[in-house]
Amino acid sequence: NLAADVYRALIAAVPGSGTIRGVTTYNDTVYAIRDNAGGTAGVLHKSTSSGWSAITFGEELSFTAGNSSVGDGDTLTQGGVTATIQRVVATSGSSPNIVGRLVITGRAGGNFASGAATSTGSGALTLSGAEAAITLAPGGRYEFRNHNFGGATGTFRMYGCGGVSRGFEFDGTVFVPISTGMTTDTPNYIEVHKNQLFFAFGASVQH
């Protein structure tokens, strides 16, 4: 008990305010969600040797008329505005009419706008409007599941939801909100079964 007390005292509190909203382990690293100091947003923190480190989220962009050459890691360009594409989320269609969302980071040169854009190589797509910051609403109670839906080494990821924002996927670097199409897209519960991801919205269950 004395040893446990000593080691427990060495663990710094997760920064922020209010209660801890959720804790999980992914790839042998502990993550925790807590509201920021002002209680205006949730923050995902990573445990490191030097303490808790806040995860920086990227921005989202919706697009249409995308082709299959638009890929993760590409540079997105529209006029003088550029950004790195962290994740391409295709929701419908096939090349050259893919519809979906981009998660971007490192935007420079201003804001994106509705209209044609290109990516590294021969990538082409039409942006639906300006980018929007990815955030977590304050409050909630988070649940998590880790699973590999792709079967490759790099596709083992964390999935979660908290009842206040969209569910999400996280690979240790890229945070990707999952849009289900629900009018109020704030799932309360999450489960993985037979290689499918399930969200519960009150009495409604979706996979």
Side-chain angles (χ1 to χ4, degrees):
N1 286 338
L2 289 174
D5 289 343
V6 169
Y7 282 109
R8 189 174 293 113
L10 297 176
I11 302 173
V14 179
S17 63
T19 62
I20 302 297
R21 302 297 179 180
V23 178
T24 191
T25 300
Y26 167 68
N27 280 345
D28 299 322
T29 298
V30 178
Y31 292 86
I33 295 178
R34 191 181 187 190
D35 293 350
N36 62 16
T40 58
V43 180
L44 176 63
H45 297 271
K46 174 182 180 179
S47 177
T48 72
S49 59
S50 58
W52 293 99
S53 176
I55 301 296
T56 300
F57 298 158
E59 298 174 312
E60 278 186 297
L61 271 171
S62 295
F63 72 90
T64 59
N67 66 21
S68 57
S69 294
V70 180
D72 297 353
D74 286 359
T75 297
L76 177 68
T77 301
Q78 186 186 56
V81 186
T82 62
T84 299
I85 299 174
Q86 290 187 303
R87 186 79 77 246
V88 179
V89 183
T91 56
S92 65
S94 59
S95 184
N97 293 301
I98 299 171
V99 176
R101 295 175 290 124
L102 303 177
V103 175
I104 61 171
T105 188
R107 177 172 50 84
N111 297 316
F112 289 103
S114 299
T118 60
S119 70
T120 306
S122 56
L125 67 168
T126 300
L127 302 182
S128 301
E131 69 285 337
I134 296 173
T135 61
L136 290 175
R141 175 186 176 275
Y142 283 82
E143 295 189 347
F144 307 88
R145 297 291 185 272
N146 298 332
H147 194 71
N148 192 335
F149 289 104
T153 302
T155 54
F156 178 69
R157 293 170 182 170
M158 175 207 301
Y159 297 85
C161 67
V164 291
S165 296
R166 285 175 292 172
F168 62 83
E169 172 192 274
F170 182 63
D171 66 359
T173 302
V174 184
F175 186 93
V176 183
I178 298 173
S179 296
T180 67
M182 289 286 285
T183 302
T184 303
D185 200 351
T186 56
N188 302 95
Y189 304 104
I190 185 172
E191 191 55 84
V192 173
H193 179 63
K194 292 189 175 181
N195 209 37
Q196 296 183 66
L197 182 68
F198 287 78
F199 281 139
F201 300 79
S204 174
V205 178
Q206 297 190 12
H207 65 94

